[in-house]
Amino acid sequence: MFFLADKSTLFKERNFFLPFNKLNSTQEYKQSLPVLSTVFRFMLYKTNVKSLLVTAAIVSWALLLGNVLLMAESARQPGSVKLALPYLNNLLIIVFIVSVFIFQRLSANSLKGIDFSSYLWNLFSKAAIAAYLSIALYFAYRISTGYARLQSPLLLHLVYQVNFGLLVFFLAKAFYIWRQLLLYHKNRFLQVAWEWFEILLFSTLVLTLLNFNYTNYIFLPLFILMGLYVLFLCTNLKWVAYLSFNKKSRSLVLLGAILVSCYIFTKFFQEFADSPALIIDYSDVAFLTMSMLFVGCYTLAAFLVSLFSLPTSSVFEQKSDDLLNFQRLSQSIQQGQSEAQVYDLLFESTIKASDASSAWFETSRGNNNIHISHLLNINAEKIERIRHLLMAYNIQQIDYINNNLDRNTGFRDLALPWKSLIILPIKSKQRMFGTLYLLRDIEQGFDRETINVLRTFTSQTVLTLDNLRLAAESLQNERYKEELKIATQVQESLVPKTFPSDSWFEIATHSKAAKEVGGDFYDFLQLSESRIAIIIGDVSGKGISAAFHMAQMKGIFHGLMQQDMPPSDFMKQANSALSRCLEKTSFITSSLYIIDYRMQGFVFARAGHCHTLYYNAMMEDVFYFQTDGLGLGIVRDKSYNNHVREMYYDYNPGDVMVIYTDGIVEARSPTNDEYGEDRLKYMLTQTYHLEAEDIKCAIINDLEDFTSTDNLYDDQTLLVIKFKPIQQKPDNNVK
Amino acid sequence: MKITQDIKDSTIIMTLDGELDASSSVVLDEELSDPEIMKYKKILVDCRNLNYISSAGLGVFISHLQRFEDAQIKLIFFNMQDKVRNVFEILGLDLLMTIVSNYEEAITIADE
């Protein structure tokens, strides 16, 4: 059968979310719901329903044919037994119509997209062709019977029956394809109106079932009302507007062919209406008349609307082209296009939008450095002449429209083939990107509407270019971040990870930078077997510049301390070295300690750095060393030498020295209080008996409790050194 | 940070209000770099409401210190809070700069 042609597409169906009202197997489907997985069942369900419908249609049609032939046979031979059941026909007709229509309803759902002419082609090639087939069949019958000069009611019935099948198939297909088009850009009201139409239409089947004559005067007003309803539905033809000129003309041909199909079917069935030769008359089926009315009306409406909108379609095409170009412009950022590509797009779109006959585009690079990047139907010599004239008038690179160049003497003298000119500068607040010149060979070439569109294009271009720049900048920022990460790693490698472990002292360190790189540092150098130099420092400021100076200071420390000098001498020389390379507003604070365990003492100098916190185990006292000392880089001449002091101190086993940077004592609490020297001192009085590592942890924990946020304002460094009693040499222990 | 200037004859009284951090130091540096300021012989800095000074803020004063000295302009800080004064002292700046306790003292020293 004809609808079998569609069967091959059945299994390609992927639309699982179709409406499933009015279907016989809904009940079964609902019962099986908990058993099968949803998607799989939908698929099975749809495929099953479709094959069920196809089977129902074939069986009902075949039974109908059989019954009609039987009836015809018995009508011819009055004496024979009446085997056929006349009321069965109506039932079979209804089953056939309903199954074909529902089948098409399901199939039509798969049509998607806005290529409407393909809908029409689909309808024509799969269904409307049936009308031509039916007429061919009818003529074949006429010729064969005419040739053989015989009357064959059975053959006539067969032809009539086949044509009935073709008609129903055509109507069902057309009905649901028109539905798809009619409901394009639908609103709620239209959706409801359509649903009611479908319900009303299907309800007319009841008339057929009960064998009412619908042309009866009782039903006549109702059918007139229904006809008006159909006319109302036929006004929904929004899709026609979306056809381009070419597609519209192609659609006109297809619509004409479909219209002819409608005519053929109508004519055929009218001819046989109330024919005495036939025992069945399908023109009595109200449903078919109504649906033919709808299909015919809608096809005619679509045909006429397409025909009359043909001349205006170019306007609509232009607008949708503009819209598409706007989209392309604004999307060029996501597509990672370059500035040059954006200019290409601008040049192309503005020429299309204004229908310019000639154009050129200049990109500006800085001061008066202009480069002509795009040309259309114009040579460099003419451009040069126009530019000279514009320069004389002092109107280059500003918005300028001249819709009648001949009226201007300057332009008239140039004898240009153009009559209208528009200049569109492409510029943002910060930057001039370029200038677009469009020329037309007619007067009043750039009307208000066109200018508005052109301006929208240029402003969109500026926006796009700005956004492109922003995108590039953010990419650059990403790179900086990556490089900063490397800087962090480099700086981390500058901080000593392990101190020499020795039996006479232990050391614990903590350091945390507020930013990726910091200005705090500490380091050590083993001067001789019994002497070690430890330095701590803090560069003013934070971030990269501080990190550079910190690296510099580390270099100075290692360079100078190779010569093993007293701390005060180190400070003097370091100050002199830094004076030459530190910028004016920067300075460094530092403290240098040289510990000699053989002498059980240390010597240190402080250059503006935080006071050293100390616990003396002998006197059980915690105090700060109060010594003078000016920061490095503050006084940049010899007078610095008067500002640095050195101090000797003998330590006892169990003494604790706490060295830190101002990030510790100036750390803030949420209420903006400073941690302070007093609290640090108190912490040491509570913890001096612990190991160096534990003292450090206790202080840092207390500090973190105090600040209670992860947000560091300044770099923090803390070193805890605990002196231990001199151990007996291992070999002494053995003895 | 709010910086206000009050001019009396050959004296500028500069009042610092708030926290002198990295960003407000830039403003202070601009004010001190103003060539107009070199016309005056005395710059008195009122630190009563200066709650915090960062190393960047100290750096600004340090960078101008030499210039003012060369031009024989007296730079005097007064009314300084203890914790801010402590910062100056730790760095050793109290030996380089004149820091006094109140306005009267500042005027007396400035007029010497």
Side-chain angles (χ1 to χ4, degrees):
Chain A
M1 289 292 102
F2 314 105
F3 33 80
L4 278 181
D6 267 11
K7 212 180 172 212
S8 57
T9 60
L10 286 183
F11 304 99
K12 291 185 207 152
E13 283 291 342
R14 284 294 178 271
N15 183 9
F16 306 123
F17 304 101
L18 57 130
F20 35 74
N21 42 344
K22 299 178 196 160
L23 293 178
N24 329 349
S25 61
T26 310
Q27 206 53 41
E28 298 159 31
Y29 153 71
K30 275 186 183 158
Q31 281 161 0
S32 66
L33 221 147
V35 187
L36 291 161
S37 81
T38 318
V39 172
F40 185 61
R41 194 182 50 245
F42 266 133
M43 209 159 78
L44 265 185
Y45 160 72
K46 188 165 182 183
T47 318
N48 281 345
V49 164
K50 278 198 162 184
S51 32
L52 193 75
L53 287 170
V54 171
T55 320
I58 296 171
V59 168
S60 58
W61 186 83
L63 284 174
L64 191 61
L65 177 68
N67 201 32
V68 165
L69 289 180
L70 262 177
M71 276 171 76
E73 192 60 27
S74 50
R76 214 158 54 100
Q77 296 165 326
S80 70
V81 191
K82 293 211 172 188
L83 283 169
L85 305 161
Y87 277 92
L88 188 65
N89 283 347
N90 290 336
L91 191 67
L92 288 172
I93 289 169
I94 290 166
V95 171
F96 177 65
I97 289 175
V98 167
S99 47
V100 172
F101 267 68
I102 291 175
F103 175 78
Q104 288 300 345
R105 193 178 207 278
L106 294 182
S107 304
N109 277 323
S110 64
L111 287 172
K112 284 196 179 71
I114 58 159
D115 185 12
F116 300 117
S117 58
S118 80
Y119 284 47
L120 295 178
W121 176 248
N122 192 341
L123 172 56
F124 174 76
S125 63
K126 287 186 182 159
I129 210 89
Y132 301 94
L133 210 66
S134 84
I135 197 90
L137 200 65
Y138 176 62
F139 279 122
Y141 160 76
R142 286 288 291 273
I143 290 165
S144 62
T145 52
Y147 182 74
R149 289 182 183 282
L150 52 81
Q151 290 281 324
S152 168
L154 280 186
L155 203 57
L156 179 66
H157 275 104
L158 184 67
V159 169
Y160 191 66
Q161 200 60 33
V162 169
N163 281 1
F164 164 68
L166 289 171
L167 171 74
V168 171
F169 179 70
F170 164 72
L171 283 178
K173 186 100 191 162
F175 189 79
Y176 283 108
I177 284 183
W178 285 160
R179 179 188 72 151
Q180 291 296 97
L181 294 175
L182 191 144
L183 292 181
Y184 183 70
H185 275 203
K186 65 188 172 191
N187 52 26
R188 176 92 196 115
F189 171 72
L190 188 59
Q191 171 88 46
V192 172
W194 175 263
E195 274 162 13
W196 272 105
F197 176 63
E198 251 186 296
I199 291 168
L200 278 173
L201 191 66
F202 277 95
S203 64
T204 59
L205 285 171
V206 179
L207 298 181
T208 309
L209 184 69
L210 303 175
N211 229 358
F212 278 126
N213 182 7
Y214 73 97
T215 47
N216 193 313
Y217 64 94
I218 305 169
F219 296 109
L220 211 58
L222 281 178
F223 280 104
I224 290 170
L225 280 177
M226 189 106 172
L228 292 174
Y229 198 18
V230 166
L231 285 179
F232 155 71
L233 286 174
C234 288
T235 55
N236 292 293
L237 291 153
K238 286 181 192 148
W239 56 279
V240 176
Y242 289 87
L243 294 172
S244 66
F245 185 86
N246 284 341
K247 284 195 173 158
K248 233 173 238 178
S249 24
R250 205 176 319 144
S251 302
L252 273 175
V253 175
L254 290 171
L255 283 167
I258 296 166
L259 217 48
V260 169
S261 302
C262 293
Y263 176 76
I264 291 170
F265 275 127
T266 316
K267 196 78 193 153
F268 178 85
F269 282 95
Q270 241 168 25
E271 200 137 291
F272 282 93
D274 302 322
S275 158
L278 291 170
I279 61 149
I280 194 156
D281 182 0
Y282 291 118
S283 63
D284 286 345
V285 182
F287 179 88
L288 293 180
T289 319
M290 288 319 296
S291 49
M292 180 52 100
L293 181 69
F294 168 73
V295 169
C297 280
Y298 197 79
T299 315
L300 186 66
F303 182 81
L304 292 177
V305 168
S306 306
L307 185 68
F308 291 117
S309 70
L310 207 54
T312 54
S313 61
S314 64
V315 177
F316 193 84
E317 258 173 73
Q318 175 74 56
K319 291 288 151 212
S320 70
D321 254 12
D322 289 352
L323 207 66
L324 206 69
N325 282 328
F326 283 136
Q327 276 175 0
R328 278 165 66 200
L329 259 180
S330 53
Q331 278 163 5
S332 38
I333 308 159
Q334 282 106 25
Q335 289 155 3
Q337 289 182 334
S338 65
E339 278 194 14
Q341 281 167 307
V342 174
Y343 291 140
D344 286 348
L345 201 56
L346 169 78
F347 195 67
E348 233 173 81
S349 335
T350 47
I351 287 171
K352 252 195 214 155
S354 65
D355 200 15
S357 42
S358 301
W360 84 91
F361 182 71
E362 305 169 348
T363 48
S364 27
R365 299 171 187 152
N367 299 342
N368 287 329
N369 183 359
I370 280 162
H371 166 73
I372 296 169
S373 58
H374 296 75
L375 276 177
L376 177 79
N377 292 336
I378 191 166
N379 56 31
E381 183 251 325
K382 279 197 180 116
I383 291 176
E384 202 48 43
R385 270 157 58 198
I386 296 173
R387 282 176 49 81
H388 270 295
L389 186 67
L390 292 174
M391 221 180 286
Y393 288 144
N394 202 16
I395 46 174
Q396 0 121 257
Q397 298 189 350
I398 56 161
D399 257 308
Y400 175 74
I401 304 151
N402 189 334
N403 266 329
N404 199 335
L405 291 176
D406 280 349
R407 264 195 219 150
N408 181 300
T409 43
F411 280 109
R412 201 166 49 216
D413 292 345
L414 290 179
L416 296 168
W418 303 288
K419 300 257 165 57
S420 306
L421 165 72
I422 184 167
I423 306 177
L424 295 158
I426 316 294
K427 61 181 173 190
S428 65
K429 273 180 190 160
Q430 300 89 28
R431 202 185 131 186
M432 179 81 197
F433 295 100
T435 319
L436 180 70
Y437 298 80
L438 297 171
L439 293 152
R440 289 196 71 182
D441 45 12
I442 50 166
E443 284 166 26
Q444 305 299 327
F446 301 102
D447 52 36
R448 190 188 290 270
E449 173 76 5
T450 313
I451 292 167
N452 280 341
V453 172
L454 291 177
R455 293 240 165 92
T456 319
F457 266 117
T458 54
S459 50
Q460 180 64 48
T461 305
V462 170
L463 203 68
T464 305
L465 291 171
D466 274 345
N467 283 343
L468 273 178
R469 179 110 39 84
L470 283 178
E473 270 169 19
S474 72
L475 209 70
Q476 184 77 5
N477 281 343
E478 274 310 302
R479 251 190 51 215
Y480 288 148
K481 269 189 201 158
E482 277 306 305
E483 287 181 6
L484 217 51
K485 254 188 215 163
I486 296 169
T488 311
Q489 285 163 9
V490 170
Q491 195 174 38
E492 261 166 29
S493 70
L494 291 179
V495 173
K497 293 285 165 305
T498 48
F499 268 85
S501 56
D502 218 325
S503 53
W504 55 270
F505 84 111
E506 53 186 33
I507 189 162
T509 61
H510 163 88
S511 79
K512 209 167 160 189
K515 292 190 174 167
E516 282 83 354
V517 289
D520 278 9
F521 71 98
Y522 63 87
D523 208 348
F524 72 92
L525 189 69
Q526 191 86 42
L527 298 175
S528 65
E529 205 191 324
S530 67
R531 291 165 70 243
I532 185 170
I534 295 172
I535 192 170
I536 187 167
D538 181 4
V539 179
S540 71
K542 277 173 271 186
I544 292 285
S545 67
F548 273 119
H549 294 317
M550 169 246 163
Q552 225 164 21
M553 189 63 197
K554 187 182 162 99
I556 290 172
F557 169 67
H558 281 276
L560 290 178
M561 287 315 284
Q562 293 298 331
Q563 299 161 35
D564 195 350
M565 57 177 69
S568 59
D569 282 3
F570 169 82
M571 291 303 177
K572 287 168 197 166
Q573 294 205 28
N575 186 62
S576 135
L578 287 169
S579 297
R580 273 170 257 140
C581 55
L582 222 52
E583 69 254 34
K584 269 199 136 189
T585 51
S586 290
F587 58 89
I588 294 174
T589 70
S590 180
S591 288
L592 177 66
Y593 308 80
I594 297 174
I595 307 169
D596 188 334
Y597 86 86
R598 203 166 280 159
M599 307 290 288
Q600 294 231 16
F602 60 89
V603 56
F604 73 97
R606 186 182 74 88
H609 199 75
C610 300
H611 295 299
T612 308
L613 180 62
Y614 199 82
Y615 165 72
N616 185 313
M618 190 100 78
M619 298 190 294
E620 295 188 359
D621 186 20
V622 176
F623 59 90
Y624 284 100
F625 282 115
Q626 299 286 347
T627 55
D628 286 342
L630 186 62
L632 302 171
I634 294 172
V635 173
R636 301 191 174 188
D637 52 32
K638 286 263 183 275
S639 67
Y640 180 79
N641 296 354
N642 308 324
H643 289 293
V644 67
R645 299 278 174 277
E646 212 168 72
M647 187 171 171
Y648 298 92
Y649 200 82
D650 291 329
Y651 69 78
N652 316 294
D655 281 5
V656 180
M657 187 155 77
V658 178
I659 308 168
Y660 56 91
T661 58
D662 57 4
I664 302 280
V665 285
E666 287 179 12
R668 306 277 187 98
S669 72
T671 52
N672 222 13
D673 293 323
E674 274 183 11
Y675 189 73
E677 288 180 345
D678 293 343
R679 184 153 174 168
L680 185 65
K681 185 173 162 186
Y682 173 77
M683 279 309 292
L684 186 61
T685 59
Q686 301 298 307
T687 56
Y688 61 79
H689 54 278
L690 301 172
E691 307 240 307
E693 185 65 29
D694 296 334
I695 297 172
K696 180 205 81 179
C697 289
I699 294 173
I700 295 302
N701 285 342
D702 184 55
L703 181 69
E704 280 169 358
D705 279 351
F706 181 79
T707 55
S708 75
T709 51
D710 292 332
N711 202 358
L712 280 190
Y713 288 104
D714 199 359
D715 308 332
Q716 295 178 343
T717 302
L718 179 77
L719 271 69
V720 177
I721 298 165
K722 185 161 190 176
F723 300 103
K724 297 205 290 196
I726 298 177
Q727 305 275 315
Q728 292 297 314
K729 290 255 156 83
D731 49 3
N732 290 353
N733 278 346
V734 173
K735 284 171 190 173
Chain B
M1 182 79 206
K2 215 172 77 187
I3 304 170
T4 47
Q5 287 187 8
D6 192 12
I7 295 166
K8 279 180 188 165
D9 306 325
S10 62
T11 311
I12 289 189
I13 300 167
M14 195 177 272
T15 312
L16 304 179
D17 192 346
E19 306 203 338
L20 190 56
D21 54 19
S23 57
S24 50
S25 312
V26 180
V27 183
L28 177 69
D29 189 40
E30 275 168 17
E31 299 239 354
L32 290 178
S33 305
D34 188 355
E36 284 288 303
I37 221 163
M38 303 306 276
K39 287 184 191 162
Y40 305 94
K41 288 286 129 195
K42 291 158 245 176
I43 303 169
L44 307 186
V45 185
D46 186 352
C47 304
R48 184 190 300 277
N49 293 319
L50 178 66
N51 301 320
Y52 167 78
I53 185 161
S54 72
S55 59
L58 292 167
V60 170
F61 284 121
I62 290 165
S63 66
H64 289 284
L65 196 63
Q66 195 62 46
R67 198 161 63 94
F68 290 151
E69 223 161 77
D70 294 345
Q72 298 197 326
I73 296 169
K74 283 180 181 166
L75 178 67
I76 300 162
F77 298 87
F78 67 98
N79 283 343
M80 201 179 266
Q81 293 177 22
D82 283 347
K83 63 180 177 189
V84 176
R85 194 185 169 101
N86 191 36
V87 174
F88 275 79
E89 280 173 2
I90 285 177
L91 198 55
L93 289 177
D94 55 329
L95 302 173
L96 290 180
M97 297 174 176
T98 319
I99 304 169
V100 295
S101 50
N102 55 43
Y103 178 67
E104 286 72 30
E105 253 185 84
I107 287 289
T108 325
I109 289 180
D111 289 341
E112 271 173 14

